[in-house]
Amino acid sequence: MRRNHFFLLYIVLLVLGTAVHAQKFRKDDPIWEDNDRQPIPQPAEVDELSQVADFVENTFSHRPENQVPRSENINTLGEVPDSSWFTNRMSRRVMTIEELVRGPNGREGPDTSKHWVIKGGKTQGITPGFRARDAKGDLYFIKFDPIGYPQLATSTEVICTKFFHAFGYNVPENYIARIRRENMKIDPDAEITDENGLKRKWTEDDVDRIFEKVPVDDDGTVQVVASFRLDGEIVGPFRYYGTRSDDPNDIFPHENRRELRGLRLFAAWLNHDDSRSVNTKDTFIKQGELGYVRHNLFDFGSCLGSGSVRIQGRRAGNEYMLEWTPILKAALTFGLWDRSWRYIDYPDYPSIGRFEADYFRPERWRPEYPNPAFERMQNEDAFWACKTISRFTDEMVRALVKTGELKDPAAEEYLVQSLIKRRDKILQHYLSKLNPLTDFELSSREGRTLVTFKNLAEACGLGKADSYEYRWSSFDNQTGALTPLGPQEVIAVPEVSVPRTQGNGYLAVAIGALAQSPKDWAKPVTVYLAPSPLRIVGVERE
Amino acid sequence: MKLHGPNLLVLFVASFLSVSAPLAQENAPPPENEADLSRQELWAKRRQGKRPKVEPGKLSGFESGMLWLETKGLKQILNYNYKGLYTRFNNNMSTGSGFAPGVRYWQPGMVASRLDFEATGAWSFRGYQSYGLQIGQIQRRGKIFSLEPVGTGPAFQFDEMEPKEAGFFIYGDLNYRNFPQEDFFGIGPDSIEENRTDYRLEDMTYDAVAGWQINRWLGAGIRVGYLQVNTDPGTDKRFPNTHDLFTDATAPGLARQPDFLDVSGAVMLDYRDRPGNPHKGGMVGVYLSRFDERAGGSYEFNRLVVDIRQFIPLFSEQRTLALQLFGSADSPDAGAQVPFYMMPTLGGSESLRGFREFRFRDKRTLYFSSEYRWDASPAIEFAVFYDTGKVFADRSQFSFEHMEKSFGGGIRLKTPKAVVMRFDVGRSREGTRFFFKFSPAF
């Protein structure tokens, strides 16, 4: 009798225990908009970050945990909803060439027909420059190329801004412009911070000194990048970890945001080794008395083969500033062990700098120093980024490179081919790491409901699945329990029939791609279907 | 197997924990109705929950401190400028002076934008003092090869760490130096360490200097002036005074310090890739000087210095063989001598690193250093070195026999342009020496 009571108590408590499990899918899943633009008071501006402190902090702390959690800000399809951080563009659809080429630019660009008025010294970044108003009165940040390398930094910045805009990030409007020294006037109140860190008034000598150290074209003009100021008031940079303590909308730790983790692959593609907090900007977008914080990336002068004020260093993308393994190897072998990236043979294109694709290995690419979000990139995050990258055709890459207005056609073609090769290497590596099936859709045919899908790796020419194995289950949205509805089956085409079941519950199908290689394609991706009406509500990859 | 009571209890507890604990951990028991919330509502609820906890963003103490140093502090400390008055830390004091901060007053382009004026003063914690006054066209001196004043007999006139720019300068140069603890061990290769003494060296120079950096590689300079010297007992209580242990016979110039009219000229060919952190290229410096005693003829001599440095990359930028050959020869007129305090020396952080500073002194020096350097990273360099050299009195003693030797190793911190910190350990027959410097070995 006592034994029976015990058993009954056990059953009751087991049921209660499982009852606390939250439901997996909610009535509005999958969402495509994260409503993180709730009105808040304007945060106080946070100081710019110390470069040294940022380097020390990220080099010696914020290392990934043993068990890195899944990205938190994703919808149930594993996609990133639109938010103050990110807008789905190429990540969700194929943009037109015109859209790609226009990028974030919403205006004609600076009016260079008359003189510019210098308003002050540029206080961010390491590229020399100034703030100036054009003939229309619009304020731009003007940046130059390093001497001996015409078009290197300016073309790079414009090209890469368009790429990052297409990826979905908030970026400034950057325009290529050609200016003349004689068209530069100085506002009487314009101040500059001199080499002693002290403010004083701009002088003609200051302007002369800048123009003496930049490449001048045969026609006497200088190519610059004119960067239109970001919308909103700057309230500091954002970090790649934690959240803003003064922004209640910022609830997902930045190191667990998919678009920041996946940024690692975009940065690797474009060799954006300077992808760190000092090159980010939070701006407060006012809506009446209140507003919200928008998160922007900016300053793409150190991308591709450009190092902003010089040609890109050989170490860029290949080794952290402080990386113990190669240091110890070199130290203990008395320098006999050498870094192979020292011997990369770059072609001599001054407008391209040091950029290549043959030595490049995306899994080994790294920025200047560790980035907490990059270090936490999981295969699923990488897959998300790969989907975007795979949408860039050769023609699109060529069109985006053309926006840099490179004068040397051989250099331009080299850049295009290098970007294409790097794109292909990224896709080849990461699409072999997990199941590449994507674009799950419901369709009807001959009275049957089908789940169709695409093999992204196959579409990119990276192999072919021999067949697909799948198994249907019913899914309890409250408990998370999966109950198989039948045996595992195999099909040769990328579509599976939805079983006719009694009841009106959720369904789930786990699909693996079978191929000689890579073996990881067989890891199942589980697609969840919600009832009434039947719709795809979730995708999970192992 | 039938389950008995105690086993059932264990099973019950284990089952409950295994099911509810991880679930509870993932999803804390939801507040009422949270299960009915949409995804948007759920996230909005989290955002509402954060509102009461909002606080202003702020930098940590470390971040604030570093930001201040980067944007204001370090530049202000190193280049503090109040109406032309700057702080100064890289003062040309004698080795062994200790930390020597100073000030510099700099006014370029006075008098119709043609004349620059500079006044400097530095003091060390060991009582060393140095003052200078320069007036003339010296605005670009930092980027041009320039002869430093003679006085303490610096062995190396060619420690130029900046890349050069073509230009010309001419200026008047007044300098006063008071170095109260200069070491003297006796003259010649057979001086012994136990004879360490110290003396105070005080000198005043009144010079005219002109120079021409022809291009990035080649520069020449000339210095003409008047030199006054005074020596007194030193102030280092650890060692006897030079005046007590030596005489004018064993330390010429000890009893009477003549004034000199001196004329010096030098040419420097500098083809190092980065003078402050060279990995290839080299440098050749030749310096010729004439010292004429003003009252008498006891101390008149010529000086010839040759300094040759070569940096050879060993199949990689990561590995460099650095070589230096240095020779200095003072040729006194017939019957004349060279004052001991003006003789070139060997020993210390830049030559024969297993010996003390100024350990060996005589009219002629011959010195050779070889150093194998390798970069563990762009900022960290290791090195092993072998130094050999000797001092001797006259040409007949020139040979490669009986050379002093020292060997050792070091670690350096660098920027791409310069070595900013060097820690070397050198060993010789006189023991082991440690050097911590803010400059490269050569």
Side-chain angles (χ1 to χ4, degrees):
Chain A
M1 193 59 172
R2 274 180 71 193
R3 203 181 303 162
N4 286 341
H5 286 161
F6 237 124
F7 186 72
L8 194 60
L9 183 62
Y10 163 73
I11 294 297
V12 167
L13 289 172
L14 185 63
V15 168
L16 282 177
T18 55
V20 303
H21 172 80
Q23 63 196 66
K24 189 177 183 70
F25 300 106
R26 295 180 178 266
K27 53 193 175 192
D28 57 346
D29 282 329
I31 60 170
W32 283 100
E33 176 107 18
D34 175 9
N35 200 359
D36 67 345
R37 283 164 272 214
Q38 297 302 306
I40 62 169
Q42 180 168 348
E45 180 175 354
V46 175
D47 283 334
E48 62 190 90
L49 293 177
S50 153
Q51 306 225 13
V52 171
D54 196 51
F55 161 73
V56 169
E57 195 180 21
N58 286 289
T59 297
F60 296 107
S61 62
H62 304 302
R63 309 323 298 261
E65 312 81 349
N66 283 338
Q67 293 285 340
V68 173
R70 197 174 182 224
S71 289
E72 293 184 38
N73 69 314
I74 52 178
N75 67 15
T76 51
L77 298 177
E79 301 290 336
V80 175
D82 292 348
S83 69
S84 60
W85 291 83
F86 186 84
T87 303
N88 281 283
R89 300 186 185 105
M90 278 295 257
S91 51
R92 201 164 171 198
R93 64 178 180 87
V94 176
M95 294 167 74
T96 65
I97 297 281
E98 290 71 29
E99 288 174 314
L100 288 167
V101 164
R102 187 172 60 247
N105 298 347
R107 61 203 78 229
E108 289 301 314
D111 180 353
T112 58
S113 60
K114 295 176 193 160
H115 61 258
W116 293 73
V117 178
I118 294 173
K119 302 297 286 182
K122 190 175 71 65
T123 56
Q124 295 123 353
I126 54 173
T127 332
F130 44 77
R131 298 189 305 278
R133 287 199 188 279
D134 70 350
K136 289 185 295 195
D138 290 334
L139 185 67
Y140 291 89
F141 296 106
I142 304 295
K143 290 192 284 188
F144 296 82
D145 290 307
I147 192 136
Y149 296 98
Q151 302 193 289
L152 175 66
T154 53
S155 296
T156 291
E157 180 131 25
V158 166
I159 292 169
C160 292
T161 301
K162 303 252 167 74
F163 268 100
F164 280 100
H165 175 262
F167 297 150
Y169 299 95
N170 300 320
V171 296
E173 297 177 39
N174 284 327
Y175 301 89
I176 284 182
R178 309 198 72 81
I179 62 176
R180 292 176 182 277
R181 166 65 183 99
E182 52 268 29
N183 287 349
M184 299 292 119
K185 309 288 178 208
I186 301 174
D187 186 303
D189 295 328
E191 287 190 331
I192 188 172
T193 305
D194 68 13
E195 64 271 12
N196 299 323
L198 301 173
K199 278 191 165 41
R200 57 168 175 80
K201 295 273 189 265
W202 268 82
T203 66
E204 294 291 336
D205 277 349
D206 293 322
V207 184
D208 287 338
R209 260 201 294 277
I210 289 179
F211 275 82
E212 277 167 12
K213 293 180 181 172
V214 299
V216 180
D217 235 348
D218 294 336
D219 61 357
T221 62
V222 172
Q223 178 170 307
V224 299
V225 61
S227 185
F228 194 74
R229 61 185 300 275
L230 289 165
D231 273 345
E233 289 187 37
I234 293 171
V235 289
F238 69 77
R239 297 173 197 263
Y240 281 88
Y241 62 88
T243 61
R244 273 189 82 111
S245 62
D246 55 3
D247 181 5
N249 287 316
D250 193 10
I251 57 171
F252 300 114
H254 301 170
E255 70 271 25
N256 293 340
R257 295 193 70 98
R258 177 148 289 174
E259 69 273 25
L260 294 186
R261 289 183 177 183
L263 177 59
R264 184 185 177 278
L265 286 197
F266 302 134
W269 187 16
L270 302 178
N271 201 30
H272 183 28
D273 70 314
D274 219 11
S275 41
R276 47 196 183 116
S277 293
V278 293
N279 288 325
T280 66
K281 275 283 173 278
D282 281 348
T283 53
F284 185 72
I285 308 298
K286 269 196 170 154
Q287 295 169 322
E289 292 292 316
L290 304 173
Y292 66 92
V293 177
R294 180 188 290 163
H295 311 273
N296 307 272
L297 304 180
F298 89 121
D299 198 347
F300 303 109
S302 186
C303 287
L304 305 178
S306 166
S308 286
V309 292
R310 63 183 72 84
I311 191 174
Q312 188 64 286
R314 287 180 177 273
R315 180 184 56 79
N318 296 306
E319 190 174 310
Y320 290 134
M321 284 171 67
L322 187 66
E323 196 167 329
W324 294 115
T325 303
I327 287 174
L328 287 172
K329 276 185 182 174
L332 296 174
T333 62
F334 287 83
L336 292 176
W337 178 86
D338 204 351
R339 288 135 163 110
S340 53
W341 46 257
R342 280 192 208 278
Y343 304 99
I344 297 173
D345 194 17
Y346 295 96
D348 185 20
Y349 294 122
S351 58
I352 300 295
R354 291 198 178 109
F355 187 64
E356 60 80 53
D358 294 328
Y359 181 87
F360 171 66
R361 283 174 62 176
E363 72 277 16
R364 300 216 314 222
W365 182 90
R366 61 245 291 126
E368 281 282 87
Y369 45 84
N371 177 312
F374 290 14
E375 295 221 298
R376 285 164 176 77
M377 186 186 77
Q378 304 293 291
N379 285 338
E380 221 184 350
D381 304 307
F383 183 79
W384 170 83
C386 281
K387 282 197 296 181
T388 301
I389 292 173
S390 71
R391 292 196 173 100
F392 282 84
T393 62
D394 295 2
E395 187 195 1
M396 290 173 180
V397 171
R398 194 177 298 281
L400 284 167
V401 167
K402 246 192 166 28
T403 63
E405 299 180 21
L406 293 169
K407 293 188 173 178
D408 183 351
E412 186 177 275
E413 183 59 25
Y414 171 78
L415 180 58
V416 168
Q417 293 304 323
S418 297
L419 283 168
I420 289 170
K421 276 190 202 167
R422 286 171 80 105
R423 175 201 67 192
D424 293 345
K425 279 192 169 182
I426 290 171
L427 296 176
Q428 182 153 32
H429 179 82
Y430 286 100
L431 291 183
S432 67
K433 294 291 178 197
L434 76 174
N435 189 318
L437 304 186
T438 187
D439 293 355
F440 298 95
E441 290 178 352
L442 284 174
S443 64
S444 292
R445 193 169 70 233
E446 297 169 356
R448 292 184 303 146
T449 306
L450 303 167
V451 174
T452 61
F453 47 88
K454 184 173 94 173
N455 184 329
L456 182 59
E458 221 172 274
C460 295
L462 299 172
K464 193 170 176 358
D466 299 323
S467 57
Y468 304 94
E469 63 180 7
Y470 65 96
R471 186 176 203 176
W472 283 98
S473 301
S474 65
F475 172 72
D476 187 329
N477 192 36
Q478 297 302 322
T479 65
L482 283 164
T483 306
L485 293 175
Q488 198 157 48
E489 299 194 50
V490 175
I491 194 165
V493 293
E495 59 182 42
V496 295
S497 288
V498 178
R500 289 191 179 85
T501 59
Q502 291 180 350
N504 207 18
Y506 283 74
L507 294 171
V509 58
I511 311 173
L514 302 179
Q516 294 286 333
S517 169
K519 300 290 182 216
D520 285 336
W521 284 8
K523 291 180 192 169
V525 56
T526 304
V527 182
Y528 296 87
L529 282 67
S532 308
L534 191 67
R535 64 190 187 282
I536 292 176
V537 75
V539 174
E540 269 182 10
R541 295 172 196 280
E542 193 173 302
Chain B
M1 185 181 79
K2 289 189 177 177
L3 289 172
H4 298 288
N7 290 342
L8 268 178
L9 180 63
V10 169
L11 177 63
F12 146 69
V13 170
S15 299
F16 183 76
L17 289 175
S18 67
V19 172
S20 66
L23 296 176
Q25 190 176 12
E26 267 190 36
N27 307 287
E32 195 173 348
N33 294 331
E34 188 169 292
D36 295 333
L37 295 179
S38 67
R39 184 75 56 191
Q40 291 279 20
E41 289 166 340
L42 193 65
W43 287 1
K45 195 177 170 74
R46 276 179 69 173
R47 291 184 165 111
Q48 276 298 116
K50 187 179 173 182
R51 278 183 186 260
K53 302 173 198 167
V54 154
E55 55 186 36
K58 54 182 186 285
L59 301 180
S60 67
F62 174 65
E63 287 173 322
S64 299
M66 292 311 304
L67 186 63
W68 182 80
L69 273 180
E70 280 173 32
T71 56
K72 295 186 178 54
L74 193 61
K75 286 176 182 170
Q76 282 192 345
I77 291 169
L78 295 181
N79 298 302
Y80 176 70
N81 173 18
Y82 176 71
K83 295 185 180 177
L85 195 63
Y86 295 80
T87 54
R88 191 175 175 202
F89 293 94
N90 56 341
N91 300 300
N92 290 326
M93 289 287 201
S94 173
T95 304
S97 64
F99 179 57
V103 294
R104 169 185 178 235
Y105 180 70
W106 167 246
Q107 284 293 342
M110 296 163 35
V111 187
S113 300
R114 288 194 164 276
L115 290 183
D116 309 316
F117 179 82
E118 182 176 59
T120 58
W123 312 266
S124 85
F125 292 103
R126 290 190 186 154
Y128 282 62
Q129 300 173 53
S130 167
Y131 306 98
L133 197 70
Q134 289 86 33
I135 185 162
Q137 288 193 348
I138 54 177
Q139 190 161 11
R140 304 179 67 182
R141 191 167 67 143
K143 298 269 187 342
I144 290 177
F145 162 60
S146 170
L147 278 175
E148 293 300 321
V150 187
T152 60
F156 303 100
Q157 283 281 344
F158 304 104
D159 282 337
E160 297 283 341
M161 296 304 158
E162 294 270 354
K164 313 291 185 296
E165 293 174 4
F168 175 79
F169 61 89
I170 181 167
Y171 61 95
D173 188 13
L174 274 60
N175 283 281
Y176 169 80
R177 296 187 295 197
N178 186 342
F179 296 162
Q181 297 182 0
E182 294 293 272
D183 288 339
F184 179 67
F185 297 83
I187 294 174
D190 300 324
S191 62
I192 57 176
E193 192 183 13
E194 289 71 25
N195 280 353
R196 183 177 179 181
T197 63
D198 78 309
Y199 64 98
R200 184 170 77 93
L201 176 70
E202 186 183 22
D203 65 31
M204 182 81 198
T205 57
Y206 311 81
D207 291 341
V209 187
W212 183 25
Q213 188 69 35
I214 301 162
N215 53 34
R216 197 192 136 195
W217 317 103
L218 187 62
I222 185 168
R223 182 180 279 265
V224 178
Y226 196 82
L227 169 66
Q228 292 175 311
V229 184
N230 176 51
T231 66
D232 285 315
T235 61
D236 194 339
K237 293 181 173 30
R238 296 176 296 164
F239 308 107
N241 291 317
T242 302
H243 296 72
D244 295 335
L245 209 62
F246 294 90
T247 67
D248 207 58
T250 53
L254 189 62
R256 180 180 71 87
Q257 293 83 57
D259 294 350
F260 288 97
L261 184 66
D262 60 272
V263 179
S264 304
V267 174
M268 182 177 179
L269 176 68
D270 187 354
Y271 53 100
R272 292 173 290 187
D273 57 343
R274 284 165 289 181
N277 178 22
H279 286 73
K280 59 182 174 186
M283 186 213 86
V284 177
V286 178
Y287 164 82
L288 195 60
S289 194
R290 169 70 188 172
F291 292 89
D292 264 338
E293 185 186 350
R294 286 289 76 209
S298 303
Y299 298 98
E300 297 191 329
F301 60 98
N302 298 320
R303 169 171 292 167
L304 172 66
V305 173
V306 176
D307 187 349
I308 302 172
R309 306 178 198 183
Q310 189 66 31
F311 303 92
I312 304 166
L314 298 177
F315 307 106
S316 167
E317 269 193 20
Q318 182 169 272
R319 299 180 290 265
T320 305
L321 181 63
L323 303 170
Q324 181 181 24
L325 177 64
F326 177 87
S328 173
D330 291 348
S331 304
D333 292 354
Q337 300 181 87
V338 178
F340 79 93
Y341 47 82
M342 292 179 70
M343 289 179 180
T345 63
L346 288 181
S349 61
E350 292 172 4
S351 64
L352 286 180
R353 283 169 272 186
F355 294 91
R356 293 184 183 280
E357 301 284 352
F358 313 121
R359 175 64 184 87
F360 299 101
R361 188 188 297 247
D362 210 329
K363 291 190 290 293
R364 288 175 165 80
T365 64
L366 178 64
Y367 171 70
F368 178 71
S369 178
S370 56
E371 191 168 281
Y372 170 61
R373 303 171 177 172
W374 71 100
D375 289 343
S377 85
I380 302 172
E381 176 185 271
F382 290 91
V384 291
F385 57 81
Y386 178 75
D387 302 337
T388 182
K390 66 193 248 185
V391 298
F392 52 103
D394 55 58
R395 208 179 304 173
S396 63
Q397 295 167 333
F398 175 82
S399 73
F400 293 105
E401 294 171 356
H402 309 298
M403 305 270 276
E404 295 287 354
K405 303 168 188 50
S406 71
F407 63 91
I411 181 169
R412 293 89 190 263
L413 296 184
K414 317 190 293 186
T415 69
K417 286 187 182 173
V419 170
V420 296
M421 219 177 280
R422 170 169 63 104
F423 179 69
D424 281 354
V425 180
R427 179 138 181 95
S428 70
R429 62 176 174 84
E430 289 188 355
T432 304
R433 306 225 55 80
F434 301 89
F435 299 101
F436 184 71
K437 306 289 284 185
F438 296 103
S439 60
F442 62 91

